[in-house]
Amino acid sequence: MATLNSKIPEGPLAEKWKNFNAHQNLVNPANKRKLDIIVVGTGLAGAAAAASLGELGFIVKNFCIQDSPRRAHSIAAQGGINAAKNYPNDGDSVYRLFYDTVKGGDYRAREANVYRLAEVSNSIIDQCVAQGVPFAREYGGLLDNRSFGGALVSRTFYARGQTGQQLLLGAYGALSKEVHKGSVKMYTRREMLDLVIVDGRARGIITRNTVTGEIERHSAHTVVIATGGYGNVFFLSTNAMNSNGSSAWQCYKKGAAFANPCFVQIHPTCIPVHGDFQSKLTLMSESLRNDGRIWVPKNKEDARKIQKGELKPTEIAEENRDYYLERRYPAFGNLVPRDVASRAAKERCDAGHGVGNTGLAVYLDFKDAINRLGRDVIEARYGNLFQMYEKIVDDNPYETPMMIYPAIHYTMGGIWVDYELETTIPGLFAGGEANFSDHGANRLGASALMQGLADGYFVLPYTVQNYLADQINVPRFSTDLPEFEEAEKAVKDKLDKLINNKGSKSVDSFHKRLGHIMWDNVGMARNKEGLEKAIKEIKALREEYWKDVDVPGSLEGVNVELEKAVRVADFLELGELMARDALHRKESSGGHFREEYQTPEGEALRNDKDFMYVAAWEYNGDGEPILNKEPLNYEDIEVKTRNYKEAKS
Amino acid sequence: MDLTLKIWRQAGPTVKGKFEQYSISGISTDSSFLEMMDVLNEELIGKGEEPVAFDHDCREGICGMCSLYINGRPHGPDGGITTCQLHMRKFKDGETITIEPWRAKPFPVIKDLIIDRSALDAIIQSGGYISVNTGGVPDANAIPIAREDAELAMDAAACIGCGACVAACKNASAMLFVSAKVSQFALLPQGKTEAKDRVRTMVAKMDELGFGNCTNTYACEVECPKEIKVTNIARMNRHFLGAKVSG
Amino acid sequence: MGNKRFQSSLTKKFVMAFMGLFLITFLFVHLGINLLVLLPDKDYFNLAAHFMSTNPVIKVFEVVLFGGFIIHIIYGLILQIQNWMARPDRYKIEGWSHKSPFSKFMIHTAAIIFIFLAIHLGDFYFRAKFGAIGDVLINGEHYHDMAALVMAKFLSLGYVVGYILAFVILGFHLHHGFQSAFQSIGLNSKTYTPFINGLSTIISIILSLGFIVIPLVIYFGS
């Protein structure tokens, strides 16, 4: 059983990171040139880490699956990035940002990490402005802030609805600068297929060049994984099509503990599924809930007629509409947190009140807001979102209510890391969404970007250096070592098996079936029976997959189906671990809702006595994974229950 | 809806490509263009044929990965969107749709509809950034920036690097792409320090890579999914001229 | 391989733009003198023609003008060839998006204008310089009777039609060229660009129509 040493530095909470920096080991400039670092992923965490480590003088190899580092899915984040700048003078502070994040995460995050996150948040904004990120500004020329869910202050910096894009392009610029300088070498269109461990330390990776099909070996003194989340295990999610959990999964299978896999965030305002051919779900900004009212028909008969297209929503009289969020949560109404709003929508649709041709949608109605504020005001606030909706759905949201439904959005779980972001494999680090991170059981809006950049710019450059300090006498690794040979062979065998399987069903057909199992049983609301069923069904599906999957084409050259086949094979294992984790966690917290553990009013019921820990799963070959627990101690924060019925939670 | 698709198939970078014709039926008008391609590929796999390779990723119009030259237009017959945001209701039942890769000398075909756009990265790597290292930067509010300048910089920064401007340009010129980055930084005080060098090196790299010259046709502006304006090109011309004159 | 060896693409565009604008000013001078031929008293035209071919300042400008033409042509050709090279494999369905339609045909209109220019120089310029032209007596002095030459040429229907076509084409060339030059030298702003675009249309029509009027009046007036 692995020992989980979180390596939290000594001292009071506010002094921990300073203490670490003051006492950490450093590498002198001449020696940095002798040390190689592999960074997998070019999103906010990966690009920022690769650029910053390159600036320090290390030799960095940076890998991404797309044709350019600028395409990583961080680019799609819309809302903004939090920081405790307190520019609006509304009482924000590092402590308050820390507190909100821990509370928003339902007390399942590590206190010291979250405090550090809040601490470095301000430097992120400074850094991005210096890079030329065009944040929104006020007329006086100073930076503008907006408010976001789960906070009482305005601390969110934004660049229109494209904050993720602008921050990523900032990091991409920094990365490009280092590529120009020669300190970072880019490897695009490369997929990491295995981690190589030499004498117990992470020393390299095996990749597939997706253009030539070549299997390549890369060695380094240390490996950083920043490959994002695994939301695509559900097939349909707001993640990009190529987002996958494979890199993280390879690390898990090589011995890195995987923490809290069941903590998945579901975003309540996405465009509903409209058919079997659908490939992806589109997020509509959460800000729509500020003015839109969510409802479903009160009578099932009306809902049925709407599903059949016999009735229009505008024909439903006011008294026959059920504004269920306003009914259930009078204080917060339509502005309850993401997890609460998502579950409530599912509950109504399961009860037969859903709309749309699938019955899996609820209305988000702007009629009252338009009557109250005028169409112009609504257009100024949401014009681009309404336009996007109309392009996709071909419905005018100014006239008929929008249809929305929850969708998988973000995974709080991930590779377990200690305070230094090092995994249970020495020399293997994980940053951004790929690690189990600082969000606990639920992430607040505008915090994903903050965490990615905090890890990349301000944590990994320090902690990776601390690790490398005693490696200066270790010469560069030859990729001819037997460990590399072995890893490459395993990868090639796996690919051979897939391509020669010659089954009868496509990769996507399996992925879709897995998605259905996951969504039905490991989705918004889970229970013992469903989770046990899911574990069984995933196992069976996995067996069928290896017997009957059809991967056309060859190992050489571009083969998109082969790329997908590898990822789906991993999802078929990862999905089971998620179900196991959800089954073992006999409580409801944040994004994890167990139907057996709720209050009489249907609210999440946490069990702090038995489950205030991080569940870090350890791979055990064909046997059942081993559960390791990292207890969470809250010394600087009072643990409370979230409450959204009354005015203050 | 039923459609006839004429799709460019090319096995590899050095192999000669040709158009193949496919019939596809029962496509929902609500499906996106790429979902239609997914359906086609599932059918091809079912028949034991090789699926059509095309680039795509976020499918929400921001990553810049999708391309496709559809009936003579990059990102197809709708304005202000990428191919992944194009929906089948923009086509007529029974229509023949011709799908080609983006063609330009600096964008060689990798396979079928996948092209290599690393030339755009090479241009950015030549100087499309502000040379600040992590840490040691001034407070974010130390330099006020006029709201109008910040907005104009954001307009230019909205570029997703898809290369539709190059694909649309009769000269395969990358001027809109390059000028968007040059403009973003030229408009911000942080970017002014290196402004002269930046415009010179980026233009030199663009020329070196074999992109064509701008003839002010403005097809790029018409086809840009983020509706980036050619005033950015004028701004770059102005700054380039300034850099030349002042040495 | 690109065009690194020989100036940057932007520098070439500046040169094209400046030369283009310079040539437009010449066209206005040329048009002004040509219109004199429509006056009943042909002496004005002949005297102006004489002034243009003998005045030392004009002679210097003549060299500059020829230089301007040659640079405009050579640079235009280089840019065009590079543009063709930038897309070796053409699209099956060519795109049709634009905001300045004639920009797509600059090389084609240029070729026609160039052919016209060659014929035109042979017919008038070189004949005036080296050829045999009838004399006319003005205020007791002998001058070339250029007016008679012009009048004679424009009695041929074929010549008139060719001449008109050439100037319609020139109009298209200028319609794009004038406003495009401002973009190339970096002048594009909400405040004045609509004015420049309007001016571009007006200039192309004035120059085109101005030249076309002359053969029409002569042909139908005779």
Side-chain angles (χ1 to χ4, degrees):
Chain A
M1 198 153 139
T3 47
L4 299 176
N5 178 4
S6 51
K7 290 199 257 177
I8 297 168
E10 293 299 311
L13 191 62
E15 301 298 320
K16 287 181 191 297
W17 184 232
K18 289 185 194 91
N19 282 348
F20 176 85
N21 288 333
H23 300 109
Q24 73 162 103
N25 299 311
L26 297 173
V27 180
N28 93 39
N31 283 331
K32 284 181 184 137
R33 285 194 295 274
K34 297 186 206 155
L35 296 167
D36 300 344
I37 301 169
I38 283 174
V39 178
V40 188
T42 59
L44 290 183
S52 304
L53 289 163
E55 286 161 7
L56 291 174
F58 295 106
I59 305 300
V60 180
K61 298 178 185 179
N62 195 189
F63 295 79
C64 68
I65 49 176
Q66 293 91 350
D67 66 336
S68 162
R70 68 182 293 160
R71 314 233 190 263
H73 198 52
S74 304
I75 204 152
Q78 298 171 357
I81 177 166
N82 288 332
K85 281 284 193 187
N86 192 29
Y87 283 155
N89 196 30
D90 57 0
D92 201 6
S93 64
V94 167
Y95 184 85
R96 194 174 286 275
L97 175 55
F98 152 73
Y99 176 82
D100 288 347
T101 307
V102 171
K103 185 183 122 196
D106 228 354
Y107 306 94
R108 293 292 175 267
R110 191 188 291 143
E111 216 181 34
N113 283 51
V114 181
Y115 194 86
R116 176 181 61 192
L117 174 68
E119 228 177 334
V120 301
S121 66
N122 291 342
S123 306
I124 296 172
I125 304 302
D126 299 341
Q127 187 64 34
C128 294
V129 167
Q131 288 169 345
V133 170
F135 282 123
R137 285 174 185 271
E138 295 165 346
Y139 282 102
L142 300 181
L143 292 162
D144 192 20
N145 284 126
R146 59 163 77 146
S147 61
F148 235 78
L152 296 168
V153 294
S154 291
R155 62 159 75 102
T156 305
F157 295 80
Y158 64 100
R160 293 196 191 143
Q162 290 138 272
T163 316
Q165 180 200 25
Q166 293 310 313
L167 297 178
L168 183 67
L169 292 182
Y172 165 72
L175 186 63
S176 298
K177 162 177 69 73
E178 294 306 305
V179 171
H180 183 74
K181 222 172 75 187
S183 58
V184 176
K185 185 157 167 38
M186 272 313 305
Y187 294 85
T188 59
R189 293 197 192 261
R190 299 300 205 290
E191 180 133 25
M192 170 182 164
L193 293 180
D194 208 354
L195 176 76
V196 181
I197 295 176
V198 180
D199 295 334
R201 292 173 189 255
R203 294 297 195 191
I205 58 171
I206 305 292
T207 60
R208 179 172 181 271
N209 179 328
T210 58
V211 174
T212 63
E214 210 177 320
I215 305 298
E216 305 161 331
R217 307 172 184 184
H218 301 276
S219 68
H221 291 85
T222 180
V223 177
V224 178
I225 299 291
T227 50
Y230 49 89
N232 269 348
V233 70
F234 290 84
F235 186 70
L236 287 181
S237 79
T238 64
N239 285 7
M241 300 300 284
N242 291 313
S243 300
N244 67 80
S246 284
S247 302
W249 197 246
Q250 300 318 324
C251 296
Y252 166 73
K253 287 174 90 171
K254 283 284 164 105
F258 204 105
N260 299 336
C262 79
F263 287 159
V264 174
Q265 182 164 77
I266 290 165
H267 200 291
T269 51
C270 297
I271 297 177
V273 177
H274 53 75
D276 287 341
F277 49 83
Q278 187 147 358
S279 59
K280 135 109 197 171
L281 296 170
T282 305
L283 184 75
M284 301 295 288
S285 171
E286 209 168 0
S287 62
L288 289 169
R289 286 200 280 145
N290 285 321
D291 286 308
R293 295 181 71 196
I294 294 173
W295 64 275
V296 290
K298 216 174 248 172
N299 308 318
K300 279 190 204 175
E301 188 51 27
D302 287 348
R304 206 186 51 77
K305 279 186 182 159
I306 285 177
Q307 290 166 19
K308 283 189 173 166
E310 292 164 5
L311 202 61
K312 289 198 182 104
T314 43
E315 292 165 356
I316 307 262
E318 199 59 35
E319 63 271 19
N320 290 327
R321 299 177 175 197
D322 177 15
Y323 295 91
Y324 58 88
L325 285 178
E326 297 170 22
R327 172 169 60 78
R328 280 178 71 176
Y329 308 101
F332 277 69
N334 294 297
L335 285 172
V336 290
R338 289 175 177 178
D339 50 346
V340 178
S342 297
R343 276 197 297 275
K346 178 182 157 60
E347 189 275 326
R348 281 295 82 193
C349 293
D350 288 351
H353 295 269
V355 296
N357 56 2
T358 55
L360 290 174
V362 299
Y363 288 124
L364 178 62
D365 202 335
F366 289 85
K367 192 187 71 186
D368 291 348
I370 290 171
N371 289 342
R372 190 175 73 243
L373 303 163
R375 196 186 145 127
D376 292 351
V377 175
I378 295 300
E379 195 170 340
R381 282 184 194 167
Y382 310 111
N384 55 342
L385 291 169
F386 278 31
Q387 201 189 351
M388 177 168 96
Y389 181 85
E390 195 171 353
K391 289 251 187 218
I392 295 173
V393 183
D394 200 26
D395 240 356
N396 182 349
Y398 294 102
E399 281 154 21
T400 43
M402 255 183 200
M403 284 188 291
I404 54 163
Y405 200 65
I408 301 293
H409 180 54
Y410 186 91
T411 52
M412 281 74 69
I415 306 176
W416 184 90
V417 288
D418 60 21
Y419 187 75
E420 298 174 27
L421 304 186
E422 193 174 4
T423 68
T424 50
I425 298 174
L428 177 69
F429 292 79
E433 193 181 346
N435 70 28
F436 86 106
S437 83
D438 306 334
H439 307 297
N442 177 51
R443 180 177 64 74
L444 290 182
S447 282
L449 301 181
M450 172 172 69
Q451 187 228 335
L453 288 181
D455 288 358
Y457 285 132
F458 297 109
V459 181
L460 287 166
Y462 291 87
T463 60
V464 168
Q465 184 170 190
N466 181 54
Y467 168 80
L468 288 172
D470 67 356
Q471 300 286 304
I472 50 174
N473 291 321
V474 179
R476 293 209 150 86
F477 286 86
S478 161
T479 51
D480 295 334
L481 290 173
E483 287 86 350
F484 279 91
E485 209 145 304
E486 216 172 280
E488 185 187 300
K489 190 177 172 304
V491 163
K492 281 186 167 165
D493 288 349
K494 187 176 179 181
L495 297 179
D496 275 338
K497 189 161 168 24
L498 284 167
I499 208 99
N500 293 321
N501 206 41
K502 306 273 183 246
S504 66
K505 299 193 188 84
S506 73
V507 176
D508 274 0
S509 71
F510 283 99
H511 197 175
K512 280 183 192 179
R513 283 163 69 192
L514 173 65
H516 280 300
I517 298 174
M518 295 300 293
W519 182 247
D520 292 343
N521 303 298
V522 200
M524 271 185 281
R526 303 149 173 187
N527 58 53
K528 181 167 180 285
E529 196 189 343
L531 290 166
E532 282 169 347
K533 186 169 133 238
I535 292 171
K536 224 177 275 168
E537 285 181 3
I538 295 169
K539 266 187 185 159
L541 188 64
R542 192 165 62 226
E543 270 167 38
E544 187 186 337
Y545 183 79
W546 284 103
K547 272 189 205 129
D548 201 22
V549 71
D550 176 34
V551 184
S554 70
L555 293 170
E556 286 85 48
V558 176
N559 189 341
V560 179
E561 289 299 309
L562 182 63
E563 292 166 31
K564 286 197 287 192
V566 175
R567 296 171 195 164
V568 172
D570 291 336
F571 280 143
L572 283 164
E573 297 174 3
L574 176 54
E576 187 189 325
L577 188 69
M578 290 168 71
R580 265 181 202 288
D581 187 41
L583 182 64
H584 115 279
R585 192 168 277 278
K586 297 185 183 69
E587 65 160 351
S588 295
S589 54
H592 170 64
F593 186 81
R594 280 284 297 267
E595 285 166 349
E596 304 96 313
Y597 308 102
Q598 52 181 315
T599 63
E601 298 90 35
E603 303 308 326
L605 191 62
R606 231 172 43 215
N607 179 350
D608 291 338
K609 190 167 89 43
D610 298 319
F611 290 96
M612 203 185 271
Y613 62 77
V614 176
W617 297 89
E618 191 184 336
Y619 183 64
N620 186 29
D622 290 335
E624 295 210 345
I626 300 162
L627 174 64
N628 299 283
K629 296 176 185 176
E630 180 202 344
L632 293 167
N633 302 314
Y634 292 97
E635 290 164 6
D636 287 73
I637 226 166
E638 187 198 342
V639 179
K640 290 180 183 170
T641 305
R642 298 194 303 169
N643 178 357
Y644 298 98
K645 285 181 190 298
E646 289 146 35
K648 174 70 188 80
S649 66
Chain B
M1 60 201 301
D2 302 340
L3 300 159
T4 304
L5 305 171
K6 280 187 184 162
I7 302 178
W8 182 261
R9 302 302 305 261
Q10 185 172 338
T14 52
V15 190
K16 221 170 127 51
K18 64 174 194 308
F19 282 95
E20 294 276 1
Q21 193 162 313
Y22 303 96
S23 293
I24 189 164
S25 50
I27 294 295
S28 159
T29 50
D30 284 337
S31 81
S32 77
F33 193 84
L34 294 184
E35 283 163 358
M36 182 275 291
M37 296 291 288
D38 291 340
V39 172
L40 173 74
N41 277 345
E42 281 287 293
E43 282 184 21
L44 290 177
I45 294 167
K47 281 191 275 184
E49 292 176 41
E50 207 172 325
V52 181
F54 61 92
D55 265 332
H56 64 100
D57 198 15
C58 77
R59 296 212 179 182
E60 51 185 283
I62 193 75
C63 76
M65 188 88 174
C66 64
S67 53
L68 305 191
Y69 195 80
I70 303 159
N71 285 348
R73 293 186 66 182
H75 295 306
D78 198 359
I81 53 156
T82 56
T83 297
C84 64
Q85 295 173 299
L86 177 66
H87 279 73
M88 293 314 292
R89 65 182 77 93
K90 291 279 162 190
F91 298 90
K92 288 191 280 295
D93 190 24
E95 194 172 337
T96 298
I97 306 175
T98 307
I99 308 165
E100 302 177 66
W102 290 358
R103 299 189 191 278
K105 198 171 143 227
F107 288 173
V109 172
I110 292 174
K111 183 177 183 180
D112 296 342
L113 303 169
I114 296 182
I115 49 159
D116 179 2
R117 280 170 288 189
S118 52
L120 298 181
D121 286 318
I123 293 174
I124 297 294
Q125 284 157 6
S126 74
Y129 43 76
I130 292 172
S131 299
V132 291
N133 284 355
T134 305
V137 297
D139 184 86
N141 258 349
I143 311 169
I145 300 174
R147 192 168 192 251
E148 199 193 335
D149 288 341
E151 291 294 309
L152 280 173
M154 181 60 219
D155 286 342
C159 170
I160 56 173
C162 65
C165 46
V166 178
C169 178
K170 71 182 178 68
N171 312 322
S173 166
M175 286 285 275
L176 193 65
F177 170 80
V178 179
S179 69
K181 197 40 83 181
V182 167
S183 280
Q184 179 196 342
F185 292 144
L187 284 158
L188 299 172
Q190 288 86 350
K192 291 215 158 74
T193 323
E194 302 167 277
K196 280 187 200 169
D197 267 347
R198 180 180 305 115
V199 68
R200 273 194 294 247
T201 53
M202 288 180 79
V203 167
K205 185 50 104 177
M206 168 182 82
D207 289 349
E208 183 196 319
L209 291 164
F211 289 100
N213 308 292
C214 179
T215 46
N216 304 332
T217 307
Y218 309 151
C220 51
E221 183 181 293
V222 176
E223 299 295 359
C224 174
K226 296 293 150 191
E227 297 174 328
I228 291 171
K229 298 280 171 279
V230 293
T231 43
N232 290 303
I233 297 182
R235 187 176 292 110
M236 175 164 84
N237 290 343
R238 201 155 64 229
H239 282 272
F240 186 84
L241 196 59
K244 276 255 154 186
V245 171
S246 65
Chain C
M1 193 203 74
N3 46 14
K4 198 186 184 182
R5 293 148 292 159
F6 176 72
Q7 290 178 338
S8 77
S9 57
L10 266 59
T11 309
K12 279 182 288 212
K13 290 292 298 175
F14 296 141
V15 173
M16 279 300 280
F18 282 121
M19 289 306 149
L21 290 177
F22 169 64
L23 295 176
I24 288 174
T25 61
F26 158 73
L27 282 174
F28 273 105
V29 174
H30 196 327
L31 176 63
I33 292 168
N34 280 18
L35 286 172
L36 293 176
V37 83
L38 297 182
L39 295 175
D41 185 348
K42 305 295 180 217
D43 287 357
Y44 292 110
F45 181 73
N46 281 327
L47 283 173
H50 178 75
F51 175 81
M52 293 304 287
S53 59
T54 53
N55 183 288
V57 178
I58 300 290
K59 287 215 154 201
V60 172
F61 261 99
E62 196 171 274
V63 176
V64 175
L65 182 66
F66 266 103
F69 262 116
I70 290 165
I71 291 172
H72 192 75
I73 291 165
I74 290 178
Y75 272 56
L77 274 175
I78 293 173
L79 287 165
Q80 182 60 59
I81 290 167
Q82 285 174 337
N83 290 347
W84 280 327
M85 279 166 43
R87 181 168 292 134
D89 298 316
R90 312 297 303 179
Y91 288 114
K92 182 180 165 69
I93 299 182
E94 289 288 339
W96 195 242
S97 305
H98 57 72
K99 284 201 160 173
S100 181
F102 299 119
S103 71
K104 299 219 165 189
F105 306 104
M106 291 306 269
I107 191 69
H108 313 96
T109 50
I112 293 168
I113 295 164
F114 181 76
I115 293 166
F116 168 78
L117 195 64
I119 297 170
H120 183 72
L121 287 174
D123 282 352
F124 298 101
Y125 180 80
F126 289 111
R127 270 183 82 174
K129 277 229 144 126
F130 314 110
I133 292 179
D135 271 7
V136 63
L137 208 60
I138 303 171
N139 298 333
E141 298 223 22
H142 287 280
Y143 293 95
H144 281 325
D145 192 356
M146 290 300 287
L149 180 67
V150 171
M151 305 292 279
K153 280 282 176 200
F154 287 156
L155 288 178
S156 146
L157 179 62
Y159 200 90
V160 169
V161 170
Y163 191 90
I164 290 172
L165 273 180
F167 277 96
V168 169
I169 298 285
L170 180 71
F172 292 160
H173 196 79
L174 297 182
H175 183 268
H176 170 73
F178 181 77
Q179 49 87 10
S180 172
F182 289 88
Q183 167 82 359
S184 290
I185 57 179
L187 300 175
N188 185 339
S189 146
K190 272 196 297 239
T191 48
Y192 55 74
T193 296
F195 170 74
I196 289 175
N197 289 344
L199 197 62
S200 196
T201 310
I202 293 168
I203 284 176
S204 59
I205 290 173
I206 288 179
L207 283 174
S208 183
L209 272 187
F211 279 103
I212 288 170
V213 158
I214 298 165
L216 284 179
V217 168
I218 293 173
Y219 184 78
F220 290 106
S222 65

